[in-house]
Amino acid sequence: MQQKAYHTGEPVPNKPMFMRGFVEMQYARKVADVTFADLQGNPKTLDEYKGRVVLLNLWASWCPPCIREMPTLAKLRNKLQGSNIQIVPLSIDEDPAAVAPFLAKHELKLDNTWIDSKKEIEKIMPANVVPATYVFDPNGNLVGFIRGYLDWDDPGIDDYLLRFAAKYQAIAEGKTSQ
């Protein structure tokens, strides 16, 4: 069960129409500590990105919308390089050994991909819809999500995400009252 961490205040304004399915939660939620694996099998957790806003993108190699979404996610990652936003693709494929060859076959340079073959993500949010992206504040609290395909390449999304990240960075640093 997720516990409320704090009230998130007013939603970030001027959300692009393309992101109409994105939900900014009214209350940030503390989430269970879960461990995933990187492409080499090393354990990975969200704690590695404390201090940054994390977009955890849930995908699978058998999911056509995921395959369509991933190149735009890679472009977005390049656009946001140097910001306090970290994009982490999370494969829920059951065979971890198939993920790296799949990325190579589709020329997806997503070397920071994590794997969750045991569906640990379900301790945080359901994994019954892919693609899905879960957004965590700099303290690792869940603050937003979108379930389903999103063309991350659409105009205005990067600006919105930067404003979103700035809001939650300010909250994490105590520069705003919630």
PDB file of all heavy atoms in Angstrom, residues 2-40:
ATOM      1  N   GLN A   2       0.560   2.185  -0.845  1.00  0.00           N
ATOM      2  CA  GLN A   2       1.329   3.419  -0.924  1.00  0.00           C
ATOM      3  C   GLN A   2       0.832   4.412   0.117  1.00  0.00           C
ATOM      4  O   GLN A   2      -0.367   4.584   0.302  1.00  0.00           O
ATOM      5  CB  GLN A   2       1.205   4.033  -2.308  1.00  0.00           C
ATOM      6  CG  GLN A   2       1.726   3.156  -3.409  1.00  0.00           C
ATOM      7  CD  GLN A   2       1.393   3.747  -4.771  1.00  0.00           C
ATOM      8  OE1 GLN A   2       0.637   4.681  -4.896  1.00  0.00           O
ATOM      9  NE2 GLN A   2       1.969   3.173  -5.797  1.00  0.00           N
ATOM     10  N   GLN A   3       1.776   5.079   0.785  1.00  0.00           N
ATOM     11  CA  GLN A   3       1.438   6.099   1.768  1.00  0.00           C
ATOM     12  C   GLN A   3       1.604   7.474   1.149  1.00  0.00           C
ATOM     13  O   GLN A   3       2.532   7.703   0.377  1.00  0.00           O
ATOM     14  CB  GLN A   3       2.370   6.021   2.972  1.00  0.00           C
ATOM     15  CG  GLN A   3       2.183   4.825   3.842  1.00  0.00           C
ATOM     16  CD  GLN A   3       3.139   4.911   5.018  1.00  0.00           C
ATOM     17  OE1 GLN A   3       4.287   5.292   4.871  1.00  0.00           O
ATOM     18  NE2 GLN A   3       2.642   4.570   6.185  1.00  0.00           N
ATOM     19  N   LYS A   4       0.726   8.395   1.523  1.00  0.00           N
ATOM     20  CA  LYS A   4       0.859   9.755   1.059  1.00  0.00           C
ATOM     21  C   LYS A   4       2.113  10.369   1.679  1.00  0.00           C
ATOM     22  O   LYS A   4       2.343  10.255   2.881  1.00  0.00           O
ATOM     23  CB  LYS A   4      -0.353  10.586   1.448  1.00  0.00           C
ATOM     24  CG  LYS A   4      -1.618  10.184   0.720  1.00  0.00           C
ATOM     25  CD  LYS A   4      -2.803  11.022   1.178  1.00  0.00           C
ATOM     26  CE  LYS A   4      -4.078  10.582   0.485  1.00  0.00           C
ATOM     27  NZ  LYS A   4      -5.244  11.329   0.985  1.00  0.00           N
ATOM     28  N   ALA A   5       2.912  11.037   0.852  1.00  0.00           N
ATOM     29  CA  ALA A   5       4.122  11.695   1.341  1.00  0.00           C
ATOM     30  C   ALA A   5       3.863  13.180   1.579  1.00  0.00           C
ATOM     31  O   ALA A   5       4.267  13.731   2.595  1.00  0.00           O
ATOM     32  CB  ALA A   5       5.265  11.510   0.342  1.00  0.00           C
ATOM     33  N   TYR A   6       3.181  13.842   0.631  1.00  0.00           N
ATOM     34  CA  TYR A   6       2.851  15.263   0.755  1.00  0.00           C
ATOM     35  C   TYR A   6       1.870  15.642  -0.340  1.00  0.00           C
ATOM     36  O   TYR A   6       1.745  14.947  -1.342  1.00  0.00           O
ATOM     37  CB  TYR A   6       4.106  16.142   0.682  1.00  0.00           C
ATOM     38  CG  TYR A   6       4.879  16.009  -0.616  1.00  0.00           C
ATOM     39  CD1 TYR A   6       4.570  16.787  -1.734  1.00  0.00           C
ATOM     40  CD2 TYR A   6       5.933  15.097  -0.732  1.00  0.00           C
ATOM     41  CE1 TYR A   6       5.270  16.653  -2.927  1.00  0.00           C
ATOM     42  CE2 TYR A   6       6.638  14.958  -1.921  1.00  0.00           C
ATOM     43  CZ  TYR A   6       6.300  15.749  -3.004  1.00  0.00           C
ATOM     44  OH  TYR A   6       6.995  15.602  -4.190  1.00  0.00           O
ATOM     45  N   HIS A   7       1.185  16.753  -0.134  1.00  0.00           N
ATOM     46  CA  HIS A   7       0.281  17.281  -1.158  1.00  0.00           C
ATOM     47  C   HIS A   7       1.142  17.978  -2.200  1.00  0.00           C
ATOM     48  O   HIS A   7       2.032  18.756  -1.858  1.00  0.00           O
ATOM     49  CB  HIS A   7      -0.709  18.259  -0.529  1.00  0.00           C
ATOM     50  CG  HIS A   7      -1.780  18.683  -1.478  1.00  0.00           C
ATOM     51  ND1 HIS A   7      -1.632  19.757  -2.332  1.00  0.00           N
ATOM     52  CD2 HIS A   7      -3.006  18.158  -1.721  1.00  0.00           C
ATOM     53  CE1 HIS A   7      -2.726  19.883  -3.062  1.00  0.00           C
ATOM     54  NE2 HIS A   7      -3.574  18.934  -2.714  1.00  0.00           N
ATOM     55  N   THR A   8       0.893  17.715  -3.466  1.00  0.00           N
ATOM     56  CA  THR A   8       1.753  18.232  -4.530  1.00  0.00           C
ATOM     57  C   THR A   8       1.387  19.644  -4.986  1.00  0.00           C
ATOM     58  O   THR A   8       2.095  20.227  -5.798  1.00  0.00           O
ATOM     59  CB  THR A   8       1.726  17.294  -5.759  1.00  0.00           C
ATOM     60  OG1 THR A   8       0.386  17.198  -6.239  1.00  0.00           O
ATOM     61  CG2 THR A   8       2.275  15.927  -5.400  1.00  0.00           C
ATOM     62  N   GLY A   9       0.294  20.197  -4.484  1.00  0.00           N
ATOM     63  CA  GLY A   9      -0.075  21.556  -4.853  1.00  0.00           C
ATOM     64  C   GLY A   9      -0.737  21.620  -6.218  1.00  0.00           C
ATOM     65  O   GLY A   9      -1.225  20.616  -6.736  1.00  0.00           O
ATOM     66  N   GLU A  10      -0.727  22.797  -6.786  1.00  0.00           N
ATOM     67  CA  GLU A  10      -1.352  22.997  -8.091  1.00  0.00           C
ATOM     68  C   GLU A  10      -0.581  22.236  -9.170  1.00  0.00           C
ATOM     69  O   GLU A  10       0.653  22.225  -9.159  1.00  0.00           O
ATOM     70  CB  GLU A  10      -1.373  24.487  -8.444  1.00  0.00           C
ATOM     71  CG  GLU A  10      -2.350  25.293  -7.611  1.00  0.00           C
ATOM     72  CD  GLU A  10      -3.798  24.864  -7.832  1.00  0.00           C
ATOM     73  OE1 GLU A  10      -4.195  24.671  -8.995  1.00  0.00           O
ATOM     74  OE2 GLU A  10      -4.507  24.698  -6.823  1.00  0.00           O
ATOM     75  N   PRO A  11      -1.286  21.636 -10.118  1.00  0.00           N
ATOM     76  CA  PRO A  11      -0.602  20.936 -11.210  1.00  0.00           C
ATOM     77  C   PRO A  11       0.231  21.919 -12.045  1.00  0.00           C
ATOM     78  O   PRO A  11      -0.083  23.104 -12.117  1.00  0.00           O
ATOM     79  CB  PRO A  11      -1.738  20.371 -12.060  1.00  0.00           C
ATOM     80  CG  PRO A  11      -2.963  20.451 -11.218  1.00  0.00           C
ATOM     81  CD  PRO A  11      -2.743  21.537 -10.222  1.00  0.00           C
ATOM     82  N   VAL A  12       1.270  21.394 -12.659  1.00  0.00           N
ATOM     83  CA  VAL A  12       2.090  22.212 -13.552  1.00  0.00           C
ATOM     84  C   VAL A  12       1.185  22.667 -14.701  1.00  0.00           C
ATOM     85  O   VAL A  12       0.532  21.847 -15.332  1.00  0.00           O
ATOM     86  CB  VAL A  12       3.304  21.408 -14.072  1.00  0.00           C
ATOM     87  CG1 VAL A  12       4.072  22.203 -15.109  1.00  0.00           C
ATOM     88  CG2 VAL A  12       4.203  21.013 -12.910  1.00  0.00           C
ATOM     89  N   PRO A  13       1.118  23.980 -14.960  1.00  0.00           N
ATOM     90  CA  PRO A  13       0.208  24.486 -15.984  1.00  0.00           C
ATOM     91  C   PRO A  13       0.686  24.214 -17.409  1.00  0.00           C
ATOM     92  O   PRO A  13       1.845  23.872 -17.638  1.00  0.00           O
ATOM     93  CB  PRO A  13       0.175  25.999 -15.708  1.00  0.00           C
ATOM     94  CG  PRO A  13       1.497  26.292 -15.073  1.00  0.00           C
ATOM     95  CD  PRO A  13       1.857  25.055 -14.290  1.00  0.00           C
ATOM     96  N   ASN A  14      -0.235  24.417 -18.331  1.00  0.00           N
ATOM     97  CA  ASN A  14       0.042  24.332 -19.766  1.00  0.00           C
ATOM     98  C   ASN A  14       0.592  22.974 -20.197  1.00  0.00           C
ATOM     99  O   ASN A  14       1.582  22.897 -20.922  1.00  0.00           O
ATOM    100  CB  ASN A  14       0.979  25.457 -20.210  1.00  0.00           C
ATOM    101  CG  ASN A  14       0.428  26.822 -19.861  1.00  0.00           C
ATOM    102  OD1 ASN A  14      -0.767  27.071 -20.021  1.00  0.00           O
ATOM    103  ND2 ASN A  14       1.272  27.696 -19.369  1.00  0.00           N
ATOM    104  N   LYS A  15      -0.083  21.934 -19.737  1.00  0.00           N
ATOM    105  CA  LYS A  15       0.294  20.585 -20.155  1.00  0.00           C
ATOM    106  C   LYS A  15      -0.020  20.449 -21.641  1.00  0.00           C
ATOM    107  O   LYS A  15      -1.128  20.773 -22.068  1.00  0.00           O
ATOM    108  CB  LYS A  15      -0.470  19.550 -19.327  1.00  0.00           C
ATOM    109  CG  LYS A  15      -0.167  18.124 -19.686  1.00  0.00           C
ATOM    110  CD  LYS A  15      -0.740  17.122 -18.691  1.00  0.00           C
ATOM    111  CE  LYS A  15      -2.213  17.189 -18.520  1.00  0.00           C
ATOM    112  NZ  LYS A  15      -2.758  16.097 -17.696  1.00  0.00           N
ATOM    113  N   PRO A  16       0.939  19.972 -22.444  1.00  0.00           N
ATOM    114  CA  PRO A  16       0.666  19.802 -23.877  1.00  0.00           C
ATOM    115  C   PRO A  16      -0.491  18.831 -24.112  1.00  0.00           C
ATOM    116  O   PRO A  16      -0.661  17.862 -23.368  1.00  0.00           O
ATOM    117  CB  PRO A  16       1.965  19.217 -24.436  1.00  0.00           C
ATOM    118  CG  PRO A  16       2.993  19.504 -23.414  1.00  0.00           C
ATOM    119  CD  PRO A  16       2.292  19.572 -22.092  1.00  0.00           C
ATOM    120  N   MET A  17      -1.261  19.102 -25.128  1.00  0.00           N
ATOM    121  CA  MET A  17      -2.404  18.245 -25.435  1.00  0.00           C
ATOM    122  C   MET A  17      -1.985  16.791 -25.626  1.00  0.00           C
ATOM    123  O   MET A  17      -2.707  15.875 -25.259  1.00  0.00           O
ATOM    124  CB  MET A  17      -3.111  18.748 -26.686  1.00  0.00           C
ATOM    125  CG  MET A  17      -4.419  18.043 -26.949  1.00  0.00           C
ATOM    126  SD  MET A  17      -5.253  18.819 -28.307  1.00  0.00           S
ATOM    127  CE  MET A  17      -5.626  17.407 -29.289  1.00  0.00           C
ATOM    128  N   PHE A  18      -0.793  16.586 -26.173  1.00  0.00           N
ATOM    129  CA  PHE A  18      -0.312  15.226 -26.400  1.00  0.00           C
ATOM    130  C   PHE A  18      -0.158  14.450 -25.097  1.00  0.00           C
ATOM    131  O   PHE A  18      -0.129  13.236 -25.104  1.00  0.00           O
ATOM    132  CB  PHE A  18       1.036  15.244 -27.136  1.00  0.00           C
ATOM    133  CG  PHE A  18       0.947  15.829 -28.515  1.00  0.00           C
ATOM    134  CD1 PHE A  18       1.427  17.099 -28.775  1.00  0.00           C
ATOM    135  CD2 PHE A  18       0.361  15.115 -29.540  1.00  0.00           C
ATOM    136  CE1 PHE A  18       1.333  17.645 -30.046  1.00  0.00           C
ATOM    137  CE2 PHE A  18       0.264  15.653 -30.822  1.00  0.00           C
ATOM    138  CZ  PHE A  18       0.751  16.920 -31.069  1.00  0.00           C
ATOM    139  N   MET A  19      -0.058  15.185 -23.985  1.00  0.00           N
ATOM    140  CA  MET A  19       0.122  14.532 -22.682  1.00  0.00           C
ATOM    141  C   MET A  19      -1.174  14.490 -21.876  1.00  0.00           C
ATOM    142  O   MET A  19      -1.135  14.352 -20.666  1.00  0.00           O
ATOM    143  CB  MET A  19       1.216  15.246 -21.890  1.00  0.00           C
ATOM    144  CG  MET A  19       2.591  15.066 -22.467  1.00  0.00           C
ATOM    145  SD  MET A  19       3.859  15.714 -21.379  1.00  0.00           S
ATOM    146  CE  MET A  19       3.857  14.480 -20.078  1.00  0.00           C
ATOM    147  N   ARG A  20      -2.308  14.601 -22.549  1.00  0.00           N
ATOM    148  CA  ARG A  20      -3.582  14.662 -21.824  1.00  0.00           C
ATOM    149  C   ARG A  20      -3.793  13.454 -20.919  1.00  0.00           C
ATOM    150  O   ARG A  20      -4.479  13.551 -19.916  1.00  0.00           O
ATOM    151  CB  ARG A  20      -4.740  14.854 -22.779  1.00  0.00           C
ATOM    152  CG  ARG A  20      -5.004  13.692 -23.701  1.00  0.00           C
ATOM    153  CD  ARG A  20      -6.105  13.999 -24.718  1.00  0.00           C
ATOM    154  NE  ARG A  20      -6.173  13.003 -25.750  1.00  0.00           N
ATOM    155  CZ  ARG A  20      -5.414  12.969 -26.834  1.00  0.00           C
ATOM    156  NH1 ARG A  20      -4.514  13.907 -27.012  1.00  0.00           N
ATOM    157  NH2 ARG A  20      -5.531  12.019 -27.732  1.00  0.00           N
ATOM    158  N   GLY A  21      -3.195  12.322 -21.239  1.00  0.00           N
ATOM    159  CA  GLY A  21      -3.328  11.132 -20.401  1.00  0.00           C
ATOM    160  C   GLY A  21      -2.373  11.103 -19.219  1.00  0.00           C
ATOM    161  O   GLY A  21      -2.448  10.216 -18.368  1.00  0.00           O
ATOM    162  N   PHE A  22      -1.471  12.090 -19.133  1.00  0.00           N
ATOM    163  CA  PHE A  22      -0.521  12.134 -18.023  1.00  0.00           C
ATOM    164  C   PHE A  22      -1.224  12.635 -16.773  1.00  0.00           C
ATOM    165  O   PHE A  22      -1.907  13.658 -16.800  1.00  0.00           O
ATOM    166  CB  PHE A  22       0.658  13.048 -18.362  1.00  0.00           C
ATOM    167  CG  PHE A  22       1.625  13.203 -17.217  1.00  0.00           C
ATOM    168  CD1 PHE A  22       2.492  12.181 -16.896  1.00  0.00           C
ATOM    169  CD2 PHE A  22       1.659  14.360 -16.465  1.00  0.00           C
ATOM    170  CE1 PHE A  22       3.384  12.308 -15.834  1.00  0.00           C
ATOM    171  CE2 PHE A  22       2.540  14.506 -15.408  1.00  0.00           C
ATOM    172  CZ  PHE A  22       3.404  13.474 -15.095  1.00  0.00           C
ATOM    173  N   VAL A  23      -1.080  11.923 -15.678  1.00  0.00           N
ATOM    174  CA  VAL A  23      -1.699  12.278 -14.410  1.00  0.00           C
ATOM    175  C   VAL A  23      -0.622  12.762 -13.446  1.00  0.00           C
ATOM    176  O   VAL A  23       0.293  12.007 -13.102  1.00  0.00           O
ATOM    177  CB  VAL A  23      -2.437  11.064 -13.799  1.00  0.00           C
ATOM    178  CG1 VAL A  23      -2.986  11.395 -12.423  1.00  0.00           C
ATOM    179  CG2 VAL A  23      -3.531  10.570 -14.730  1.00  0.00           C
ATOM    180  N   GLU A  24      -0.741  14.025 -13.040  1.00  0.00           N
ATOM    181  CA  GLU A  24       0.090  14.524 -11.940  1.00  0.00           C
ATOM    182  C   GLU A  24      -0.729  14.295 -10.682  1.00  0.00           C
ATOM    183  O   GLU A  24      -1.829  14.834 -10.535  1.00  0.00           O
ATOM    184  CB  GLU A  24       0.417  16.005 -12.112  1.00  0.00           C
ATOM    185  CG  GLU A  24       1.298  16.537 -11.006  1.00  0.00           C
ATOM    186  CD  GLU A  24       1.713  17.984 -11.184  1.00  0.00           C
ATOM    187  OE1 GLU A  24       1.353  18.606 -12.200  1.00  0.00           O
ATOM    188  OE2 GLU A  24       2.409  18.486 -10.278  1.00  0.00           O
ATOM    189  N   MET A  25      -0.213  13.489  -9.790  1.00  0.00           N
ATOM    190  CA  MET A  25      -0.967  13.066  -8.620  1.00  0.00           C
ATOM    191  C   MET A  25      -1.144  14.220  -7.633  1.00  0.00           C
ATOM    192  O   MET A  25      -0.270  15.072  -7.508  1.00  0.00           O
ATOM    193  CB  MET A  25      -0.261  11.884  -7.973  1.00  0.00           C
ATOM    194  CG  MET A  25      -0.177  10.695  -8.936  1.00  0.00           C
ATOM    195  SD  MET A  25       0.927   9.381  -8.405  1.00  0.00           S
ATOM    196  CE  MET A  25       0.055   8.746  -6.992  1.00  0.00           C
ATOM    197  N   GLN A  26      -2.285  14.248  -6.928  1.00  0.00           N
ATOM    198  CA  GLN A  26      -2.531  15.280  -5.919  1.00  0.00           C
ATOM    199  C   GLN A  26      -1.640  15.082  -4.702  1.00  0.00           C
ATOM    200  O   GLN A  26      -1.296  16.039  -4.028  1.00  0.00           O
ATOM    201  CB  GLN A  26      -3.990  15.270  -5.475  1.00  0.00           C
ATOM    202  CG  GLN A  26      -4.940  15.825  -6.499  1.00  0.00           C
ATOM    203  CD  GLN A  26      -6.343  15.928  -5.931  1.00  0.00           C
ATOM    204  OE1 GLN A  26      -6.750  15.143  -5.069  1.00  0.00           O
ATOM    205  NE2 GLN A  26      -7.088  16.901  -6.415  1.00  0.00           N
ATOM    206  N   TYR A  27      -1.306  13.831  -4.438  1.00  0.00           N
ATOM    207  CA  TYR A  27      -0.428  13.511  -3.315  1.00  0.00           C
ATOM    208  C   TYR A  27       0.720  12.652  -3.821  1.00  0.00           C
ATOM    209  O   TYR A  27       0.488  11.646  -4.497  1.00  0.00           O
ATOM    210  CB  TYR A  27      -1.176  12.735  -2.219  1.00  0.00           C
ATOM    211  CG  TYR A  27      -2.144  13.601  -1.461  1.00  0.00           C
ATOM    212  CD1 TYR A  27      -3.465  13.719  -1.870  1.00  0.00           C
ATOM    213  CD2 TYR A  27      -1.728  14.315  -0.335  1.00  0.00           C
ATOM    214  CE1 TYR A  27      -4.361  14.520  -1.192  1.00  0.00           C
ATOM    215  CE2 TYR A  27      -2.619  15.120   0.355  1.00  0.00           C
ATOM    216  CZ  TYR A  27      -3.929  15.217  -0.076  1.00  0.00           C
ATOM    217  OH  TYR A  27      -4.804  16.032   0.603  1.00  0.00           O
ATOM    218  N   ALA A  28       1.928  13.061  -3.501  1.00  0.00           N
ATOM    219  CA  ALA A  28       3.082  12.213  -3.786  1.00  0.00           C
ATOM    220  C   ALA A  28       2.938  10.968  -2.920  1.00  0.00           C
ATOM    221  O   ALA A  28       2.425  11.037  -1.800  1.00  0.00           O
ATOM    222  CB  ALA A  28       4.368  12.951  -3.451  1.00  0.00           C
ATOM    223  N   ARG A  29       3.378   9.847  -3.449  1.00  0.00           N
ATOM    224  CA  ARG A  29       3.238   8.577  -2.731  1.00  0.00           C
ATOM    225  C   ARG A  29       4.590   7.938  -2.475  1.00  0.00           C
ATOM    226  O   ARG A  29       5.413   7.820  -3.380  1.00  0.00           O
ATOM    227  CB  ARG A  29       2.403   7.591  -3.554  1.00  0.00           C
ATOM    228  CG  ARG A  29       1.033   8.071  -3.918  1.00  0.00           C
ATOM    229  CD  ARG A  29       0.142   8.106  -2.716  1.00  0.00           C
ATOM    230  NE  ARG A  29      -1.180   8.585  -3.077  1.00  0.00           N
ATOM    231  CZ  ARG A  29      -2.271   8.266  -2.432  1.00  0.00           C
ATOM    232  NH1 ARG A  29      -2.209   7.457  -1.396  1.00  0.00           N
ATOM    233  NH2 ARG A  29      -3.426   8.747  -2.795  1.00  0.00           N
ATOM    234  N   LYS A  30       4.794   7.530  -1.233  1.00  0.00           N
ATOM    235  CA  LYS A  30       5.978   6.734  -0.924  1.00  0.00           C
ATOM    236  C   LYS A  30       5.772   5.372  -1.571  1.00  0.00           C
ATOM    237  O   LYS A  30       4.653   4.863  -1.597  1.00  0.00           O
ATOM    238  CB  LYS A  30       6.146   6.577   0.580  1.00  0.00           C
ATOM    239  CG  LYS A  30       6.440   7.878   1.281  1.00  0.00           C
ATOM    240  CD  LYS A  30       6.545   7.667   2.784  1.00  0.00           C
ATOM    241  CE  LYS A  30       6.664   9.005   3.456  1.00  0.00           C
ATOM    242  NZ  LYS A  30       7.926   9.211   4.084  1.00  0.00           N
ATOM    243  N   VAL A  31       6.836   4.803  -2.096  1.00  0.00           N
ATOM    244  CA  VAL A  31       6.712   3.513  -2.776  1.00  0.00           C
ATOM    245  C   VAL A  31       7.649   2.490  -2.138  1.00  0.00           C
ATOM    246  O   VAL A  31       8.626   2.849  -1.477  1.00  0.00           O
ATOM    247  CB  VAL A  31       7.004   3.637  -4.289  1.00  0.00           C
ATOM    248  CG1 VAL A  31       5.981   4.543  -4.962  1.00  0.00           C
ATOM    249  CG2 VAL A  31       8.414   4.126  -4.558  1.00  0.00           C
ATOM    250  N   ALA A  32       7.340   1.246  -2.373  1.00  0.00           N
ATOM    251  CA  ALA A  32       8.168   0.151  -1.868  1.00  0.00           C
ATOM    252  C   ALA A  32       9.548   0.196  -2.511  1.00  0.00           C
ATOM    253  O   ALA A  32       9.696   0.621  -3.659  1.00  0.00           O
ATOM    254  CB  ALA A  32       7.496  -1.190  -2.176  1.00  0.00           C
ATOM    255  N   ASP A  33      10.546  -0.227  -1.758  1.00  0.00           N
ATOM    256  CA  ASP A  33      11.891  -0.371  -2.326  1.00  0.00           C
ATOM    257  C   ASP A  33      11.902  -1.636  -3.173  1.00  0.00           C
ATOM    258  O   ASP A  33      11.613  -2.717  -2.664  1.00  0.00           O
ATOM    259  CB  ASP A  33      12.940  -0.497  -1.216  1.00  0.00           C
ATOM    260  CG  ASP A  33      13.102   0.786  -0.427  1.00  0.00           C
ATOM    261  OD1 ASP A  33      12.945   1.868  -1.019  1.00  0.00           O
ATOM    262  OD2 ASP A  33      13.386   0.704   0.782  1.00  0.00           O
ATOM    263  N   VAL A  34      12.185  -1.468  -4.445  1.00  0.00           N
ATOM    264  CA  VAL A  34      12.242  -2.618  -5.338  1.00  0.00           C
ATOM    265  C   VAL A  34      13.584  -2.610  -6.058  1.00  0.00           C
ATOM    266  O   VAL A  34      14.187  -1.562  -6.268  1.00  0.00           O
ATOM    267  CB  VAL A  34      11.075  -2.640  -6.356  1.00  0.00           C
ATOM    268  CG1 VAL A  34       9.755  -2.869  -5.653  1.00  0.00           C
ATOM    269  CG2 VAL A  34      11.023  -1.379  -7.158  1.00  0.00           C
ATOM    270  N   THR A  35      14.025  -3.802  -6.416  1.00  0.00           N
ATOM    271  CA  THR A  35      15.306  -3.950  -7.099  1.00  0.00           C
ATOM    272  C   THR A  35      15.066  -4.533  -8.483  1.00  0.00           C
ATOM    273  O   THR A  35      14.331  -5.504  -8.644  1.00  0.00           O
ATOM    274  CB  THR A  35      16.243  -4.872  -6.293  1.00  0.00           C
ATOM    275  OG1 THR A  35      16.422  -4.301  -4.989  1.00  0.00           O
ATOM    276  CG2 THR A  35      17.593  -4.998  -6.973  1.00  0.00           C
ATOM    277  N   PHE A  36      15.710  -3.894  -9.457  1.00  0.00           N
ATOM    278  CA  PHE A  36      15.662  -4.345 -10.836  1.00  0.00           C
ATOM    279  C   PHE A  36      17.075  -4.805 -11.201  1.00  0.00           C
ATOM    280  O   PHE A  36      17.927  -4.911 -10.332  1.00  0.00           O
ATOM    281  CB  PHE A  36      15.201  -3.198 -11.747  1.00  0.00           C
ATOM    282  CG  PHE A  36      13.925  -2.548 -11.280  1.00  0.00           C
ATOM    283  CD1 PHE A  36      13.914  -1.245 -10.801  1.00  0.00           C
ATOM    284  CD2 PHE A  36      12.723  -3.242 -11.305  1.00  0.00           C
ATOM    285  CE1 PHE A  36      12.745  -0.640 -10.369  1.00  0.00           C
ATOM    286  CE2 PHE A  36      11.535  -2.647 -10.879  1.00  0.00           C
ATOM    287  CZ  PHE A  36      11.555  -1.346 -10.402  1.00  0.00           C
ATOM    288  N   ALA A  37      17.342  -5.060 -12.468  1.00  0.00           N
ATOM    289  CA  ALA A  37      18.689  -5.435 -12.903  1.00  0.00           C
ATOM    290  C   ALA A  37      19.032  -4.620 -14.146  1.00  0.00           C
ATOM    291  O   ALA A  37      18.147  -4.257 -14.926  1.00  0.00           O
ATOM    292  CB  ALA A  37      18.745  -6.922 -13.237  1.00  0.00           C
ATOM    293  N   ASP A  38      20.330  -4.334 -14.323  1.00  0.00           N
ATOM    294  CA  ASP A  38      20.740  -3.687 -15.575  1.00  0.00           C
ATOM    295  C   ASP A  38      20.981  -4.767 -16.624  1.00  0.00           C
ATOM    296  O   ASP A  38      20.759  -5.956 -16.375  1.00  0.00           O
ATOM    297  CB  ASP A  38      21.945  -2.762 -15.370  1.00  0.00           C
ATOM    298  CG  ASP A  38      23.221  -3.486 -14.967  1.00  0.00           C
ATOM    299  OD1 ASP A  38      23.296  -4.742 -15.069  1.00  0.00           O
ATOM    300  OD2 ASP A  38      24.178  -2.798 -14.560  1.00  0.00           O
ATOM    301  N   LEU A  39      21.434  -4.363 -17.784  1.00  0.00           N
ATOM    302  CA  LEU A  39      21.626  -5.324 -18.879  1.00  0.00           C
ATOM    303  C   LEU A  39      22.681  -6.383 -18.563  1.00  0.00           C
ATOM    304  O   LEU A  39      22.695  -7.449 -19.170  1.00  0.00           O
ATOM    305  CB  LEU A  39      21.998  -4.581 -20.167  1.00  0.00           C
ATOM    306  CG  LEU A  39      20.877  -3.715 -20.752  1.00  0.00           C
ATOM    307  CD1 LEU A  39      21.400  -2.867 -21.899  1.00  0.00           C
ATOM    308  CD2 LEU A  39      19.709  -4.580 -21.194  1.00  0.00           C
ATOM    309  N   GLN A  40      23.574  -6.093 -17.606  1.00  0.00           N
ATOM    310  CA  GLN A  40      24.593  -7.054 -17.214  1.00  0.00           C
ATOM    311  C   GLN A  40      24.157  -7.907 -16.013  1.00  0.00           C
ATOM    312  O   GLN A  40      24.910  -8.750 -15.540  1.00  0.00           O
ATOM    313  CB  GLN A  40      25.906  -6.331 -16.868  1.00  0.00           C
ATOM    314  CG  GLN A  40      26.591  -5.673 -18.059  1.00  0.00           C
ATOM    315  CD  GLN A  40      25.883  -4.408 -18.531  1.00  0.00           C
ATOM    316  OE1 GLN A  40      25.410  -3.617 -17.727  1.00  0.00           O
ATOM    317  NE2 GLN A  40      25.802  -4.225 -19.830  1.00  0.00           N
TER     318      GLN A  40
END
